[in-house]
Amino acid sequence: MKRQRIDALALDSYQRAARVMLANHLVTRVYPDRIALPLIRRWATELREDLAELFGYRLEVTETTARLYPVHDRLEDARPARSVNDRVFDRRRYAYLSLALAALGRAGDQITLSELAEHVADYASRIEGLDLSTERAADRDAFVDAIGWLGARGALTLADGDAGGWASDPEAGEALYDIDRPVVFALFRPPRALQHLHSVRGLMAEDTDDHARRVRRALVERPVVYLDDLSPPERALLGQDRAIGEVEYCTGLRAERRAEGVALIDTSGRLSDTRFPGTGTLAQVGLLLIGEIADAVLDLDNPLPHRPGALTADDVLLAQLDASIPTAGVFAPLAEDIETDAAAPDSIDDVEDDEPVTYPFLDDTWVRATVTALTDRYGATFAAQWQADVGGLTAEVVALLTKLRLIRPVEDGLLVLPALARYRGAVVNVRLRKSEELFVTAAETAGSTGEGGN
């Protein structure tokens, strides 16, 4: 990197731009906010060169959009798309989103919600196992979630009407949208034509021998980079000041190094998509559960069993995705005649250690009982939706800690990963309700103190 070209007084601005671009991949006039695009455009030249050199990413910047095309070394199933109401996208919502993008690519400057729904319903009817019936409330809700996702990113702008009214009653409600075609086209730009793929591996990184870039990508893409994630050459690079220093300079973040790996600490909140510790029931219970797990791990009188476990499950996820690729219709005649070497080892996964690393194990019964006990003690301060749903609360909290790479679920429990120890001394302050506080809101009932992390 040509670091000398960025004046020290302007370095903070450049680093903020890098964090915004790495965190969002798509920046428009309204997403993630109205100040992001001017910031990216100011540093477009520097970012384009530095992101390519450090990470192998391609950045395209126009007057209305900035689009980062990343390189994926591994699959990530812990960062699903979410609706504007924070609902996790399921397969139906992803399908509607993809079909809506296809319809918008052929549309004019405006489109009504009902017209777009008709196009998506027509496309969906040609896909076995998928349909969109405007007579079903669940289908309408899923479709509106997909449209809301596009609207949040500026691909669609509401010109008149109300999508919620249409979702409640498509006969009485309607919405009219302006279409921002550059944003629509920027959203879906796969590195290869999907019809030409035999395997999802075709979307993965091709520069598997560029260990330095793989290490840098891992640092900005994962909450924690464990040594056990990496091949021997990559482990050596992770231990060098240069590789980490380059990422620190680009992002403005600081690396926290431990014997087990490295994490970039994001106190700015502009690179992480999840703030932790934080407010809200899930973050609160997550921090409380971490304390209980840490106590169990440190209990010398009742030592926990240890189990080996790879930190990635790429092979399983790859197989699941590959199994869903259609083998008939348009894919068959367009597919390449070469067979994908599904057994080809990845530079990370094909490394065999003489002694596999093991991690403390806690079974599902312990996890459920612990969350139940926390609910019994602090449940009055939780959001109403979780007070009577301990099972759902447990699943969401485990998903949060998994996303942060503090634990890893296995078939009958979870493995405790080293980074969890970072929070074992955190203090959770839970303000209990007074009997006369009849109308206190859930958001006002809990707060936490602790160190912000990526």
Side-chain angles (χ1 to χ4, degrees):
M1 291 177 62
K2 301 176 182 178
R3 300 181 182 181
Q4 66 275 13
R5 68 185 171 191
I6 301 177
D7 186 89
L9 295 177
L11 182 59
D12 179 67
S13 174
Y14 162 82
Q15 292 170 336
R16 283 190 288 114
R19 292 195 297 268
V20 169
M21 204 68 255
L22 288 167
N24 297 285
H25 293 185
L26 174 70
V27 174
T28 68
R29 285 176 286 197
V30 298
Y31 183 80
D33 51 50
R34 294 187 179 275
I35 64 173
L37 185 60
L39 179 64
I40 299 301
R41 284 175 55 81
R42 175 187 175 185
W43 295 105
T45 300
E46 291 84 357
L47 288 174
R48 187 180 296 110
E49 295 178 4
D50 293 344
L51 295 176
E53 180 181 341
L54 288 178
F55 309 106
Y57 295 166
R58 187 175 89 257
L59 175 64
E60 294 182 3
V61 181
T62 69
E63 292 184 0
T64 60
T65 63
R67 183 68 163 97
L68 185 68
Y69 297 94
V71 175
H72 298 288
D73 295 301
R74 53 180 288 179
L75 299 177
E76 179 58 72
D77 61 353
R79 298 174 63 182
R82 293 179 178 270
S83 72
V84 293
N85 297 320
D86 205 35
R87 279 192 290 267
V88 174
F89 270 39
D90 54 15
R91 297 178 66 180
R92 182 170 298 273
R93 284 170 171 78
Y94 279 121
Y96 290 165
L97 175 60
S98 300
L99 297 178
L101 281 170
L104 291 173
R106 298 175 173 86
D109 295 329
Q110 286 189 321
I111 194 168
T112 64
L113 188 59
S114 59
E115 183 183 1
L116 182 55
E118 289 178 4
H119 289 306
V120 172
D122 179 49
Y123 295 157
S125 67
R126 307 176 197 177
I127 302 173
E128 184 179 354
L130 179 66
D131 61 358
L132 168 58
S133 173
T134 56
E135 297 179 358
R136 288 196 295 263
D139 284 8
R140 296 196 303 270
D141 288 343
F143 177 68
V144 169
D145 280 346
I147 300 308
W149 189 93
L150 293 170
R153 283 151 183 80
L156 294 172
T157 302
L158 185 65
D160 193 16
D162 174 30
W166 180 88
S168 299
D169 184 359
E171 297 296 329
E174 185 58 283
L176 176 67
Y177 289 95
D178 294 326
I179 302 173
D180 191 323
R181 301 184 68 80
V183 177
V184 171
F185 293 142
L187 274 169
F188 184 67
R189 294 273 298 277
R192 295 180 60 189
L194 299 185
Q195 294 94 330
H196 292 183
L197 296 179
H198 282 291
S199 170
V200 178
R201 290 183 186 273
L203 298 176
M204 308 292 277
E206 296 181 355
D207 59 341
T208 55
D209 294 330
D210 194 334
H211 302 298
R213 281 181 176 171
R214 290 174 68 92
V215 168
R216 297 189 202 105
R217 289 196 290 258
L219 286 168
V220 297
E221 291 172 359
R222 307 177 199 173
V224 184
V225 181
Y226 293 107
L227 291 177
D228 298 324
D229 285 336
L230 308 176
S231 65
E234 292 162 356
R235 293 175 190 174
L237 286 169
L238 189 65
Q240 296 177 6
D241 292 337
R242 179 180 177 181
I244 295 177
E246 289 170 334
V247 177
E248 288 180 320
Y249 181 86
C250 178
T251 62
L253 307 184
R254 292 294 173 264
E256 183 174 291
R257 308 187 194 198
R258 300 291 176 91
E260 300 85 1
V262 177
L264 287 183
I265 306 304
D266 179 19
T267 57
S268 71
R270 297 292 288 185
L271 182 58
S272 304
D273 61 342
T274 301
R275 191 81 171 170
F276 190 81
T279 58
T281 298
L282 297 182
Q284 292 291 302
V285 177
L287 204 57
L288 291 167
L289 181 59
I290 284 173
E292 298 295 329
I293 293 175
D295 288 344
V297 172
L298 296 174
D299 186 354
L300 299 180
D301 294 328
N302 298 284
L304 295 180
H306 281 59
R307 286 190 183 180
L311 296 183
T312 63
D314 280 359
D315 289 339
V316 174
L317 191 54
L318 279 165
Q320 292 173 340
L321 291 172
D322 286 349
S324 67
I325 295 178
T327 56
V330 70
F331 280 81
L334 292 179
E336 296 172 345
D337 293 329
I338 60 172
E339 292 295 329
T340 299
D341 185 5
D346 183 86
S347 62
I348 292 178
D349 297 330
D350 69 330
V351 178
E352 295 185 2
D353 294 325
D354 294 335
E355 296 184 5
V357 179
T358 62
Y359 304 94
F361 168 78
L362 290 166
D363 61 40
D364 286 329
T365 301
W366 184 94
V367 176
R368 175 65 183 265
T370 302
V371 176
T372 300
L374 293 174
T375 303
D376 291 340
R377 184 173 182 181
Y378 302 110
T381 71
F382 294 174
Q385 71 182 100
W386 303 121
Q387 292 180 14
D389 186 9
V390 176
L393 177 61
T394 302
E396 289 295 323
V397 170
V398 167
L400 172 62
L401 300 186
T402 301
K403 179 179 180 180
L404 296 170
R405 307 202 79 204
L406 305 180
I407 62 172
R408 186 196 166 204
V410 291
E411 183 176 356
D412 53 347
L414 58 84
L415 302 179
V416 183
L417 303 185
L420 182 137
R422 183 176 190 273
Y423 299 99
R424 67 174 179 265
V427 177
V428 183
N429 295 323
V430 180
R431 184 171 69 86
L432 299 177
R433 298 181 185 179
K434 298 179 181 178
S435 58
E436 63 270 19
E437 289 179 316
L438 299 180
F439 300 101
V440 66
T441 64
E444 296 171 332
T445 62
S448 70
T449 59
E451 196 172 356
N454 182 18

